[in-house]
Every structure is written in C-alpha cells, then in structure tokens.
Amino acid sequence: MQIRYLLGILLISLGFSTSTFSAVVPNGTKLAKNQEIVINNSTEPQSIDPHKFQGVPEAQVIYQLFEGLVTVDSSGNILPGTAESWSHNNDFKQWTFKLRSNAKWSNGDPVTAYDFVYSWRRLADPKTGSLYASYLNDLQVINAQDIIKGKKNPADLGVKALDDHTFQVSLVNSIPYFTSMLFHPAVLAVPQKIVEKKGDDWIKIENFVGNGPYKLADHVVNEKIVFERNPLYWNDEETVINKAIFLSIVNGSTDLQRYRAGDIDITSYGLPTEQFSKLKKEVPNELFISKVLSTYSYEINNQKEPFNNVKVREALNLSLDRKIITDKVLAQGEIPTYVFTPTYISEGEKIRQPEYSKLPINERNKKAVKLLEEAGYSKSNPLKFTLLYNTSENHKKIAIAAASIWKNNTQGLVEVSLENQEWKTYLDSRRLGNYDIARAGWSAGYNQAATFINYFLSNATSNTAFYKNDEYDRLANSAYQAINTDVRSEIYAKAEDILAKDFGTIPVYNYVNVRLVKPYVKGYEGKDPLDNILLKNLYLISKEN
C-alpha cells in the first residue's frame, strides 16, 4: 500500500495522472440535451465560507464552488486540482505546489499562491473563529498551534508564496500522506480582495467569487441553492452538468416522495428506514448503498456534571445495545461499533473493539446498574439528562430507541428527555457546550485513521465533546514521528484504547449511506469512501440510451 501511494505521488509530481479530472463519458454515449440536475442536500448549510463551515451539508456546497490544491475523482482518488503538480523533500516536511497558470477566480482574477497563503493564515487566525482551525495542527504546519492560541501572528504560519504560482508549506513533522489531507474544505483558498472588501458579506450571492467548477447562481434560504457552470474554471471543457439545484429537504419521506415524482435526481442519504426493503425490491438498480468512513455516536459533554464521572460514562456505554439500533431500527447494513475510528480505514486495522463489547448484554447491564448505584443513582433518584439531536426522522427514531434501551437496561435508573434542534442551532449548542449528550456524526476528512484520532485531541477546535487526556494527546501526536505505517497503526490503536477505557464518547455504529439515483445520472457509483458528490464528475445520459 505504501509503495503504491508513493508511486502515485511521484507520477503526479512529474505532471502525470492515473485518472481523469472531470466527468468520464464513455465513447458512444448519447448525452441528454438538458444537463440540469436536482440533488437533495438534506438541510440549509450553516455557512458556505470554507473557514466557517461545520458539517457535511456545508462541505457538499463548498466543493462545487471552490477547488483546492487537489481534487478527487468519483472513487475518491486524489488528483491535481488548482495545483498541477507537487513535490516534497526527503523527510516529507516541506511540500511545494505548482499552481496552474490558467486557474482563475470566477471574476476573472488569477488564482495565485498568495491566495493560499492568505487563506491558510485566515484559517489559523483566532479572529476568524474557525471550527477547523486546528486542522492546521493535524497538517503539522509550523507555528499553527501558537497562532490559534494567539501567541504568534498569522504571518508566522509555515506557508509562503515563492512566486505567483508556487506555494510552499513547511511542517513540524513528516506526513507522507500530506496530499490526501488537502481536499478538506478548510484548506481551500478564498479570494482575498473580495473577503477583505466585503467582510462577512462576501458569501452573499451579489458578492460571491469562487474558483470551482460552478458559480453561485441563486440561494433561497431553507429551500435551494442553484449552481451554474463556471466558464472560467480551468477544466470547464471537460465539465458536463450545466446547472444544478441543491434542495434543503430535511424530511426523508418528503425526499423520497419528490424523487418518485421525478422532482429529484439524487436523494440525500437519510431515506426512511422502513422503506428500505421495499426499495431494494422495487428499484434495486437505483439504490446505492455505500460503506463510508463515518461514525454515528452519542457525544458526551465531558466537562459537565455528572458526565465528568467516568462511572456514569461507562454505565451509559455498557447499557446501550447497539445491535437493536443497527438491526431493528435501521437495518440497512450499519455496523455496530464501540470504538470511534472505523477499523476499516487506512491505518486503523489494528484497532480492536473493547473487551466489554464481547460480554452478553445482561452482564453489561448488571455492571451498568452497579456503576450507577455507586455514582449515587437509584429508582427514586434516577440519572436524568437530555439527548440532543438535529432534525431528522432517522435521528428521532434512533434517539427514541436509545432512550428506551437505556431505561430498560438500567432498571429505570436512567431517564432520558429528547430535544430536537434545527441544524444551525444544534451545531451552535454543541460548539458552545450547551448540551448533556448529543447525537453526533463524524465523517473522515481523508482516508487515514488520524482524521478520527485527532478529533479528541485536547487542543482540537472540533472537539465538541471537551474530552481531555494527556496520554491520549501524547500518543496521537507521537504518530507524526513515525513514517512506518505499522508503527502509526499501533499508535492509533493504543490511543483508541485510551478513549474506550475513558468512555469519552458513546460510539454507536459505522454508517452506510443509502441514496436513490436516477438511472440516467452517471458518474456516481457510490465508491468514494467519503461519499462526496462533485457535480464536475457527473453527467446525464439520454433516456434513449
């Protein structure tokens, strides 16, 4: 695996590619005359500013409007993007990217290395308040942490422009897989002149400027976002879809109804679970089931009483029967898990499920009751907390089931109240720590175990569980000293073991994404382990094909 990866880096650094950059249309294919597509993106995005985004709905919009140093094909393979090639020194601590001379912003200005310098500094700047500022720590960029903490100026970040088309990044530690991390929305470039001139209003439709395959044509809040092809995109000639509409339909049943009515070409992945078996029989060729690098969990607010008591956290972990949720509530192929990092991710193969997961559920329940009693709870004084989830039929079903499981399996020592919030409010509640336990989903930013391990670092701006463990931090950071994949895999396994013994979160299952895709939509095969949908990779064929 490591040899193939390094060979790929070598080919790209020399200006070659093993895959195409945009839609792959087989010879002889008859394309539809009207290349317009409608996709449900599940909710109104919290922000389309790459440095202010928080979740998947935002990322899916941002990927259409911006392109970073790298991009991906429909299978998730890393390809040159705004950078046409790159190279690194012998110890993988310095990376140099050559930007395309024909890369432009949608207003006609050239995309330069200075744009990336400005953007990465903006990401690190505490004034920006980015949830993903610590992603620069994950990337090990020199001085990132000190800048995020306000100890140094953004100008001290280890990035520089050698000239208009040469961007260089200097790292504290070696990262051989560095380029695989650069598709993340946080490290995209934003247009400095526009951002500085318009401030927070730069993302309004009348001001918006991007460098991606598509332009922002319309935005009706809580209804739709409309994209139009960007003729100034460097690879526009290989792009096929002319116009796209992303809908903000939260309700899975409505999503399905609109799909059946022909109003939607690709659904969101939150289809009603009770319809799954029927859909498998009726439209098996339109149903895509993708095993993705994502974990559904119940995030514990570790800084809040009584959840700062490990006995309480352990009891809740022990008594939650994941199989009831995966096999009976969902039943779409989800994988029960007791660890946060998917064991099938790159370098996660040595991670093992904790020993308690192998115990019969009745034994786990007995121990949970004992722990709760030791923590001072009883039937007359049960543990009461609120379980927060964002608006979704499936999240509600899972939350109802979890509340019932906890109550039954602890002999009434746990009583759960449910609270539903719309997406933006829910994100704010988690970020500010205004919750007890919250439904959470973490999707890989790149196919490497570090993207999950780094989530729980004490200094991670994305750590909305407020988990802190010095040994965990030390282990996770030591992985950067190891170029050998086996050594890194061992480190990640040990870090995950610490998190599991701390019961710092409640992993529930690893996702599968289930979508419906019309048969005339091509370029989406459900093979990307991150399940990103890039319009530039799609095309519509004539129904006469």
Side-chain angles (χ1 to χ4, degrees):
M1 177 182 290
Q2 185 71 3
I3 293 175
R4 288 203 306 272
Y5 173 78
L6 292 175
L7 177 59
I9 289 292
L10 176 61
L11 288 171
I12 292 172
S13 68
L14 293 174
F16 298 100
S17 171
T18 57
S19 186
T20 56
F21 297 104
S22 261
V24 182
V25 183
N27 291 333
T29 299
K30 187 175 182 181
L31 293 172
K33 292 180 180 179
N34 184 18
Q35 291 292 324
E36 297 185 5
I37 192 169
V38 180
I39 299 173
N40 182 25
N41 193 41
S42 78
T43 192
E44 171 68 23
Q46 171 260 350
S47 175
I48 59 173
D49 183 332
H51 301 147
K52 302 287 182 72
F53 96 103
Q54 292 195 42
V56 173
E58 292 80 26
Q60 294 306 299
V61 172
I62 288 167
Y63 284 144
Q64 319 310 326
L65 300 170
F66 298 90
E67 182 175 82
L69 296 166
V70 304
T71 184
V72 296
D73 64 14
S74 60
S75 296
N77 298 307
I78 295 291
L79 299 173
T82 300
E84 62 184 359
S85 64
W86 51 80
S87 59
H88 55 76
N89 63 357
N90 290 335
D91 62 2
F92 299 97
K93 287 186 179 181
Q94 190 173 82
W95 293 77
T96 305
F97 298 85
K98 285 291 182 181
L99 272 58
R100 299 179 187 277
S101 59
N102 59 342
K104 295 181 179 180
W105 294 105
S106 55
N107 65 353
D109 291 344
V111 178
T112 70
Y114 298 98
D115 290 315
F116 280 93
V117 170
Y118 166 77
S119 300
W120 286 34
R121 287 175 177 174
R122 180 177 184 253
L123 174 64
D125 193 337
K127 294 177 183 177
T128 304
S130 176
L131 180 71
Y132 287 98
S134 62
Y135 194 69
L136 292 168
N137 289 333
D138 298 349
L139 288 166
Q140 291 290 285
V141 181
I142 285 176
N143 291 329
Q145 182 59 24
D146 283 343
I147 296 167
I148 293 167
K149 292 294 185 182
K151 296 178 180 179
K152 290 188 177 180
N153 294 319
D156 295 322
L157 191 67
V159 295
K160 61 182 175 180
L162 302 185
D163 55 47
D164 282 357
H165 296 102
T166 311
F167 176 63
Q168 190 171 83
V169 186
S170 298
L171 312 181
V172 177
N173 289 302
S174 302
I175 304 186
Y177 52 87
F178 185 71
T179 51
S180 71
M181 301 176 70
L182 298 182
F183 183 65
H184 197 281
V187 288
L188 300 174
V190 297
Q192 180 176 359
K193 289 194 295 185
I194 305 300
V195 175
E196 291 183 339
K197 182 178 180 180
K198 300 295 183 179
D200 289 342
D201 289 340
W202 80 273
I203 56 174
K204 289 185 176 180
I205 190 166
E206 63 270 20
N207 303 325
F208 189 83
V209 171
N211 71 324
Y214 292 86
K215 299 188 297 181
L216 185 63
D218 194 12
H219 185 183
V220 181
V221 175
N222 290 320
E223 183 182 336
K224 65 180 179 180
I225 293 177
V226 181
F227 305 94
E228 289 181 353
R229 199 160 144 183
N230 176 13
L232 296 180
Y233 175 57
W234 68 269
N235 200 30
D236 178 60
E237 65 180 27
E238 287 190 26
T239 307
V240 179
I241 298 292
N242 292 321
K243 180 181 178 181
I245 299 174
F246 276 20
L247 300 178
S248 302
I249 300 173
V250 175
N251 187 288
S253 296
T254 304
D255 189 11
L256 179 56
Q257 289 167 6
R258 295 280 297 275
Y259 178 86
R260 283 174 165 158
D263 298 333
I264 291 175
D265 301 307
I266 301 179
T267 68
S268 177
Y269 52 81
L271 293 172
T273 56
E274 66 273 12
Q275 294 286 336
F276 181 68
S277 297
K278 185 178 181 181
L279 292 170
K280 282 183 75 174
K281 293 177 182 177
E282 292 180 350
V283 286
N285 295 331
E286 297 176 36
L287 193 65
F288 285 77
I289 306 168
S290 306
K291 182 180 178 182
V292 291
L293 298 171
S294 300
T295 300
Y296 193 106
S297 63
Y298 280 129
E299 188 162 271
I300 299 171
N301 191 339
N302 282 259
Q303 67 180 358
K304 186 175 183 179
E305 292 184 351
F307 307 107
N308 54 356
N309 184 338
V310 68
K311 291 183 178 181
V312 171
R313 301 196 302 269
E314 182 177 0
L316 293 173
N317 264 283
L318 286 169
S319 55
L320 184 65
D321 191 338
R322 279 79 162 170
K323 287 189 176 181
I324 291 177
I325 293 171
T326 58
D327 298 356
K328 295 183 179 179
V329 179
L330 298 172
Q332 297 179 125
E334 292 83 1
I335 306 165
T337 188
Y338 300 79
V339 292
F340 186 66
T341 306
T343 56
Y344 49 91
I345 198 171
S346 177
E347 299 188 7
E349 57 273 0
K350 294 186 179 181
I351 294 171
R352 297 289 178 262
Q353 300 290 340
E355 287 301 314
Y356 79 85
S357 67
K358 302 169 188 175
L359 295 174
I361 190 64
N362 62 325
E363 289 187 31
R364 286 163 44 190
N365 292 342
K366 288 179 183 178
K367 186 173 182 182
V369 168
K370 185 173 183 293
L371 288 165
L372 288 169
E373 289 174 341
E374 289 174 358
Y377 297 101
S378 63
K379 289 184 179 180
S380 61
N381 178 39
L383 168 65
K384 295 181 180 181
F385 64 86
T386 299
L387 181 60
L388 174 67
Y389 65 94
N390 58 295
T391 304
S392 160
E393 289 175 286
N394 289 348
H395 296 332
K396 182 178 180 179
K397 290 173 189 173
I398 297 167
I400 290 171
S404 176
I405 293 167
W406 270 319
K407 184 172 184 177
N408 292 337
N409 286 0
T410 61
Q411 300 173 19
L413 299 190
V414 173
E415 291 185 7
V416 183
S417 300
L418 304 183
E419 182 179 3
N420 164 231
Q421 293 179 350
E422 73 75 36
W423 180 247
K424 292 182 181 180
T425 306
Y426 153 84
L427 289 174
D428 285 342
S429 294
R430 286 180 56 203
R431 180 176 56 83
L432 297 171
N434 295 332
Y435 74 94
D436 296 330
I437 293 181
R439 171 264 154 189
W442 186 252
S443 297
Y446 49 100
N447 190 355
Q448 218 274 345
T451 189
F452 283 87
I453 297 297
N454 290 343
Y455 179 90
F456 285 103
L457 287 170
S458 300
N459 62 3
T461 47
S462 56
N463 180 3
T464 50
F466 308 102
Y467 172 78
K468 293 185 181 349
N469 183 299
D470 291 342
E471 180 61 15
Y472 182 93
D473 289 351
R474 187 196 66 76
L475 261 176
N477 288 317
S478 72
Y480 292 112
Q481 309 298 327
I483 293 181
N484 183 285
T485 58
D486 284 340
V487 175
R488 283 200 301 270
S489 296
E490 289 283 358
I491 291 170
Y492 296 142
K494 289 177 182 177
E496 189 69 54
D497 188 52
I498 290 173
L499 179 65
K501 288 177 179 176
D502 272 352
F503 301 95
T505 191
I506 306 172
V508 182
Y509 62 82
N510 295 128
Y511 280 82
V512 292
N513 280 0
V514 180
R515 298 182 188 271
L516 286 170
V517 181
K518 293 292 186 182
Y520 51 78
V521 176
K522 301 300 178 182
Y524 176 82
E525 296 92 12
K527 295 179 181 178
D528 182 353
L530 307 186
D531 199 34
N532 291 305
I533 296 180
L534 270 62
L535 294 170
K536 72 180 182 66
N537 294 333
L538 304 181
Y539 60 97
L540 308 181
I541 63 171
S542 169
K543 295 177 183 178
E544 299 174 3
N545 271 8

